[in-house]
Structures are given as C-alpha cells and as structure tokens.
Amino acid sequence: MAFQSPMISVPKKTTDEVDWTTPIRHLIAQSYGESPDNYAAECAQLQRCRQDAVRGAGSDMTARDLLYKYFGQLELLELRFPEIKVTFPWHDAFTNKLTTQTSIAFEKASILFQIASTHSSIAASQSRADPEGLKRAFYYFRSCAGMLTYINDNFLHAPSTDLSREVVKFLSGLILAQATEVFYEKCVEEKKGSALVAKVAAQAGTMYTSLGEEVKEFMGKGVFDRNWVILIQIKSKYFSSLAQYHRALADDTASKHGDAIVRLTLAETLAKEAHRLSTSFSPSPTSSPTLPADTGPSLLGLTKTHSALCSERLQTATKENDLIYHALLPSAESLPKVDGLPVATTVPIHEVFGTPEVQKTIGKELFVRLLPLSVHESASVYSEEKAKLVRGEVEAAEETEVRVKSLLESLGVPGSLVRYRAIVGGQVTGDGEVPKEVRKAVEEVQRLEREGGVEGMLQELGRLRERVGGELDILGRDLEIESRECEEGRVKWEHKWTQEPSAGLSKPLRTEVKSHLGALEAAGKSDGQVGALWAEVRADVTVLKGGEVDGLFDSNGVAKNGGEHLLDLDVGTEEQDEQERANIGGFVAEIEERLSRLSKIARERNEILKELKEKV
C-alpha cells in the first residue's frame, strides 16, 4: 500500500528512583532472622531490574522484555514479602501529576500500563505492508487491550487519571478499534470477499464513531491530545466510507445496481468529508509524540486516494446503469445497514505471561535462597489442610455429643430413669409426694399471679376494649357532623361555598374507622372465648395458685380423688404390681445398657480425637 494508516500509541508514565533495599533488609532481619548482608546481591539485582525497566527504556522488544522481567519479579516479591511498604512515585501519563503510594498493587498497575504502552508502540511502528508486520501489529494491539482490561478488572481504586476506569476503558476501546483496522488491511491484502471486508470496515467505523463521542467528554478535562480527536473523526468518516464502498461492490456483483450507486454516493460523500478534515490536519512530533511523524501526509494521501476511487467508481456505475441496467435508485435511508463484524478480541494477560519465552525472560525468583517459595507454599497448604481435617472431626464430634444429649433430655431419660429405678426397688415412699410436673405448674401460676393475674388481665382487657370502642364512636360522630355541616353550608351559600365535599375527603377515614370497629368486634368475640375457657379452669388454677397441693396426692403420687397415677401405672393387686415392676425393671435394664454403650462410644471417640490431634 502506498500510504500506511497512522496509529495512536498509548503514552508512557514516568517515575523517580525507588529504594527497594532498605525495606527488604529490614524484613529479612525482622521476619526471617537472617543477616540482610547475605542478600545484598539480590537487593542490588532488584534495584537494577526496576531501573532498567522504567528509566530510559524505549518502546521496542528490549523494553518489553525488561518490563516483563520486572513485573514477574514483582509478582514473586509480593508473595515473598506481602507486608512490604515501599514508596512508589509515578507521574500521570496524561496530566504529569505526581502520585505516590506504598502499595505494590500500585506499582504493578503502573508497570502493566507501561507494558500496554510498549505493546501499542510496537504495534503502531510495524510496517504493515509486510504480512509478518501485519500479524505482529494485530497481536500487540490485542495484547495491549488485554493489559488495559486487566488493570480495569483488578485495580478498582485508581489513584491517578491514567489508571481511572473511564480512561482505561477508552484506551482499550481505541486500541481494539485499531486492531480491527489492522484486520481490515489484512482482509484487503488477502483479497477477501467484498461483503466480509464491508463488515470489518463497518465495525471499525462504528468503533471510531463511538470513540469520537467519548473523547469529547475528556477534552474539557484536558486529558487527551487534541490531535487524537481529529484523527478519530477522520477515521470514523474514512471507515464508514470504506464500508459503503465495499458493500457497493458486493451489491454490484449481486446485480443490485441501484443499491450500489446509492452506496457509492454515500461512500463518496464520507470520503470527501474525511479528506476535508485531513487537509488541515498536520500534527508535529513534538506536540503529538504518540502519533507517527508522517501522520498528516499519510492521512491526506489515504483519504485523497479513496475519495478519487469512490468518484471514479461512481461515475462508471452511473454510466453503466444509464446505458445498460436502468435500475431504480432507492433512498439512502431504505438501504439495509451494513452490520459490523467483531474481529478483534483482547489477549488475556495469562496468555502473554504464560508462554515459555516470557517465563524464561522473567527467570527465577531473586530471593529463592531466603526460603524457597515452593516449599513455603506447600508447607502452608499442607498445614492448613491438616488443621482443616482436625477442625472438621472436632466439630463433628461436638455436634454428635450435643445432639445425643439434647435427644435424651427431650425424652426425659435422665430424670425418668431415676424414678423408674425407685419404683422397681420399691423406694418410692413418703406422704403427699407431688409429681414434678405439678410442682412446676404451681410455680408458673404463682409467677403469673404476681404479675397481675388472669382476672386482672381480663378486666383490663375489657376496659381497654370499651375505651377504644368509645373513641371510635366519637370519631364516627365527628365525621358525620362535619359532613353534615359542610353540606348545610353548601345549601346555604350555594356557589359562594368553595369547600370541596367532605364526604369524599373523609372517605378513607370512615373506611379506617369501620375497619377498626370490625377488628374490635372480632377481638371482643375472641375475648369472650378466652373468658369461657378461663371459667372452665378457674377452680383448678385457684388450687394451684394457693400452692397447697401436698394433700392432694398419696404416697405413690396418685391423686386422692381417684385420678390415675402420673406415670400411667395401673393400680391393681399386689401380684399385678409385682409383675408391672418386673416389666419396668426389664425396660430400665435395657435403657441403662444402651446408655452405657453410648457412654463407651463417646469415650472411644474422645480418645481417637486426642490421638488424631497428637499425630497431626
């Protein structure tokens, strides 16, 4: 191709010197108990690694490898010294404002931004007339977008403008638009079909148009180079024209000659607009270092050549249609839209750093002698797995113990077993022995009486119900009086009476009063049922309230009024009693045997847990 479309590269951040040595020496002495002097060479290597990566490095493959190495060592260093604090000063790539932080995350985000900038410069500087250069440009634009996407996804609180989500998102979109442009050039170079080329061009045009709207928001803040705006506008027009041009060629091949002429007309109009913008566009390398030096002439040549091609093709198509096809020309608005085809996706960061070449460039961890990272990680994981195993077994044992105890208590086994043993042994003696359940009921009733008693509660409930009913009746009457007075005033004063009818305004209040009256009536019925229930049990509660229940039961816990034994034992002959005690004795023996087994299982479980803890 005679002219190569100029590409924008992401500007680099700048930084000042950083002291890695002092904080690392301090951590080695404090946390590892070794002499920092033994690691002076490693500290010097790390210091030099950063200097090589960020100070004076260009934007070529060598700069890329130096940044790869430093970022890889940063990742390993963060695992080795997660608590390290180093002062990192970085100047914003767009505003040149200095930002200083002590977090390694800030240093990593800044280095990734430098890598993205280097990738964009490598891609922009490729000679795309060469197929290999075209392939490299497409890859490095996509990997640049991948780095920027990773920054946005993993560093959420940007301390500077160049790392903010909005700016990084815009840069990623711009780089992917340029990758799409490179893919378009590849399609043209390989003479792909006009329909496919039109879709790729339409995608590039759509992306540049969207970027043209976004970049205007940043111009007021003085973030981006003003020449970026003009270049994006030119490419928006240029690729929209290319999309219509190639779709016109496809339509002409499909014998849609009318559609082809209209699309060629649109392509010519857009091409002339792009050429008009290019004539006044001549950025200098000093004012726009992120653009190639020949940006102005290249754009002018591209747009001029394409504009001439559109005009020539339009004249030929119009002449052929007039002489041969006589196809009707549809309106431009009625033509189907040229849909874009997304062809450029980001290259994830793990694919870049996961290649053997990059891993070889990064090399081994500088502080591997201090404590092998693999051993540290394996030991940490192993210890955590052992602790997790013990915790799980202890929790399971405790949960089982609690469940067994709760189940036995809910069945009343401990207390009932003592009483049944006494029955079997004939040891239940004493006059007026009151069952435990009755004692508990006496205590509960006496407590309630001290708090006011049921009679007092029922009387207070009645008084409250009467008072609420009276207040609701008064509210109802007041609403009726107010409504009546309003209507009397309306009749008396006729059109001079401007107050709205109160019936409509007070309707919600009437409804609410009626609802409360209904609820009060239902509550009254419920209270009546409670009162009836209370009348049935009042005599029994009175006895419990007095607390004098000792004389109501005989020595065997049987009610003297002829009621049944609280343990549901039939009172019969002495032989029947003996037989019943024998049966109960069998049940007691079986229950004790099972409780003994449970206790033995619990002891064995505790011994096994103790042994497990000792071995782990």
Side-chain angles (χ1 to χ4, degrees):
M1 56 181 70
F3 298 99
Q4 180 167 283
S5 177
M7 299 291 185
I8 297 173
S9 58
V10 178
K12 279 192 172 184
K13 298 166 72 71
T14 55
T15 185
D16 301 324
E17 289 292 337
V18 166
D19 178 20
W20 275 109
T21 303
T22 302
I24 289 179
R25 287 176 61 88
H26 176 75
L27 280 175
I28 290 174
Q30 294 294 323
S31 302
Y32 291 87
E34 295 192 38
S35 172
D37 295 337
N38 295 336
Y39 299 93
E42 286 84 347
C43 291
Q45 284 180 333
L46 178 62
Q47 198 75 34
R48 187 166 58 253
C49 183
R50 185 181 192 275
Q51 291 174 349
D52 293 343
V54 301
R55 301 298 300 274
S59 297
D60 52 11
M61 298 296 184
T62 302
R64 178 205 66 178
D65 291 344
L66 291 172
L67 286 166
Y68 282 170
K69 181 176 181 179
Y70 181 55
F71 182 79
Q73 291 299 326
L74 273 180
E75 292 269 85
L76 297 171
L77 200 68
E78 188 177 29
L79 294 174
R80 172 73 64 186
F81 306 112
E83 71 278 18
I84 194 169
K85 299 293 182 183
V86 181
T87 302
F88 299 110
W90 283 94
H91 294 269
D92 194 287
F94 299 103
T95 65
N96 203 36
K97 181 181 177 182
L98 177 64
T99 301
T100 302
Q101 287 199 353
T102 58
S103 167
I104 289 187
F106 177 56
E107 177 81 345
K108 287 168 62 179
S110 300
I111 294 299
L112 282 178
F113 191 90
Q114 299 295 84
I115 295 174
S117 173
T118 302
H119 282 200
S120 68
S121 297
I122 292 173
S125 63
Q126 295 298 312
S127 173
R128 300 194 297 277
D130 175 20
E132 289 300 317
L134 200 65
K135 185 185 299 184
R136 280 193 296 272
F138 186 59
Y139 171 79
Y140 280 106
F141 274 136
R142 292 168 56 232
S143 62
C144 170
M147 299 291 170
L148 294 171
T149 301
Y150 184 84
I151 292 174
N152 249 5
D153 291 343
N154 292 273
F155 304 99
L156 304 180
H157 305 290
S160 57
T161 301
D162 52 7
L163 295 178
S164 66
R165 296 185 66 81
E166 296 80 10
V167 170
V168 173
K169 179 175 177 291
F170 174 83
L171 293 175
S172 179
L174 173 62
I175 295 301
L176 285 179
Q178 294 186 154
T180 304
E181 182 178 349
V182 172
F183 192 85
Y184 164 81
E185 294 174 355
K186 184 174 184 294
C187 290
V188 173
E189 185 72 21
E190 296 176 356
K191 295 181 172 54
K192 300 292 184 181
S194 297
L196 173 63
V197 176
K199 289 183 178 181
V200 177
Q203 180 69 16
T206 301
M207 296 176 77
Y208 278 122
T209 302
S210 176
L211 290 167
E213 295 299 321
E214 291 181 37
V215 76
K216 292 176 183 177
E217 300 177 7
F218 293 104
M219 291 314 300
K221 304 175 184 177
V223 177
F224 297 131
D225 183 354
R226 297 189 64 84
N227 289 315
W228 285 20
V229 182
I230 302 174
L231 178 58
I232 290 172
Q233 289 175 346
I234 293 172
K235 288 196 174 185
S236 171
K237 302 291 185 183
Y238 178 62
F239 278 95
S240 297
S241 173
L242 285 170
Q244 295 293 342
Y245 174 78
H246 286 286
R247 181 57 183 271
L249 296 183
D251 287 345
D252 189 58
T253 303
S255 300
K256 298 179 181 179
H257 305 292
D259 291 6
I261 291 173
V262 175
R263 290 192 186 278
L264 286 170
T265 304
L266 291 173
E268 182 186 42
T269 303
L270 291 167
K272 288 180 178 179
E273 291 180 12
H275 182 60
R276 178 181 58 79
L277 291 172
S278 301
T279 54
S280 58
F281 182 59
S282 55
S284 64
T286 55
S287 63
S288 298
T290 56
L291 294 175
D294 61 346
T295 296
S298 296
L299 275 180
L300 189 62
L302 281 172
T303 54
K304 182 179 180 181
T305 301
H306 177 61
S307 179
L309 182 62
C310 289
S311 298
E312 179 184 349
R313 188 72 186 187
L314 177 60
Q315 290 176 4
T316 302
T318 303
K319 184 176 180 181
E320 289 178 352
N321 189 57
D322 292 341
L323 295 176
I324 304 171
Y325 305 117
H326 305 292
L328 296 176
L329 304 184
S331 64
E333 294 76 12
S334 65
L335 290 176
K337 179 184 176 182
V338 183
D339 294 324
L341 178 65
V343 292
T345 56
T346 60
V347 177
I349 186 173
H350 61 82
E351 289 189 13
V352 176
F353 283 92
T355 60
E357 295 81 5
V358 175
Q359 289 299 310
K360 183 179 179 181
T361 299
I362 295 172
K364 295 190 300 183
E365 183 199 2
L366 294 177
F367 294 88
V368 68
R369 289 192 303 116
L370 185 60
L371 178 66
L373 191 59
S374 59
V375 174
H376 176 75
E377 290 177 343
S378 300
S380 176
V381 171
Y382 180 62
S383 299
E384 177 59 28
E385 288 299 321
K386 290 193 298 183
K388 189 187 299 183
L389 173 65
V390 173
R391 284 197 302 269
E393 293 300 326
V394 170
E395 289 173 1
E398 291 176 350
E399 182 182 355
T400 302
E401 193 73 27
V402 170
R403 288 177 61 188
V404 169
K405 187 176 180 181
S406 300
L407 181 59
L408 292 175
E409 289 180 353
S410 66
L411 295 174
V413 172
S416 300
L417 194 59
V418 172
R419 182 163 181 79
Y420 282 121
R421 283 201 199 100
I423 292 173
V424 172
Q427 299 172 1
V428 179
T429 61
D431 295 331
E433 184 175 354
V434 181
K436 184 169 59 177
E437 293 83 356
V438 178
R439 294 283 188 194
K440 187 175 181 181
V442 169
E443 293 174 0
E444 184 68 17
V445 168
Q446 290 177 345
R447 183 184 65 79
L448 290 174
E449 283 299 318
R450 287 195 298 272
E451 295 176 358
V454 177
E455 290 286 355
M457 293 180 185
L458 290 174
Q459 292 173 4
E460 179 64 19
L461 192 61
R463 287 194 296 272
L464 290 174
R465 187 170 62 251
E466 290 177 2
R467 189 177 70 187
V468 172
E471 290 178 356
L472 290 174
D473 289 339
I474 292 172
L475 286 173
R477 285 197 302 273
D478 288 347
L479 290 173
E480 289 295 336
I481 292 171
E482 197 280 333
S483 179
R484 186 168 59 251
E485 289 178 351
C486 177
E487 293 305 317
E488 289 174 355
R490 190 182 313 283
V491 172
K492 180 178 179 179
W493 300 104
E494 297 179 348
H495 64 278
K496 294 181 181 180
W497 186 263
T498 59
Q499 179 179 335
E500 294 184 20
S502 62
L505 297 175
S506 61
K507 184 178 179 180
L509 294 175
R510 294 172 187 274
T511 303
E512 190 171 355
V513 169
K514 184 177 179 181
S515 174
H516 287 316
L517 285 171
L520 188 63
E521 182 180 354
K525 293 179 181 179
S526 177
D527 294 346
Q529 294 174 356
V530 173
L533 182 61
W534 169 244
E536 294 177 4
V537 299
R538 181 186 287 126
D540 296 335
V541 173
T542 301
V543 174
L544 294 174
K545 181 171 62 176
E548 300 297 332
V549 296
D550 292 338
L552 300 178
F553 297 86
D554 61 18
S555 61
N556 290 322
V558 179
K560 290 182 178 180
N561 60 357
E564 293 184 352
H565 193 285
L566 292 177
L567 297 175
D568 297 331
L569 293 176
D570 294 333
V571 178
T573 64
E574 186 175 346
E575 292 182 359
Q576 291 174 331
D577 289 346
E578 287 296 331
Q579 180 62 37
E580 193 67 34
R581 276 197 291 271
N583 292 338
I584 293 175
F587 292 140
V588 168
E590 184 179 354
I591 291 173
E592 288 178 336
E593 191 272 334
R594 295 189 179 186
L595 288 176
S596 175
R597 278 194 291 168
L598 277 176
S599 178
K600 183 179 179 182
I601 291 172
R603 286 196 303 272
E604 290 178 353
R605 182 170 59 242
N606 291 333
E607 291 174 1
I608 292 173
L609 276 177
K610 183 179 178 182
E611 185 180 354
L612 176 64
K613 290 178 182 178
E614 291 174 354
K615 289 186 175 180
V616 168

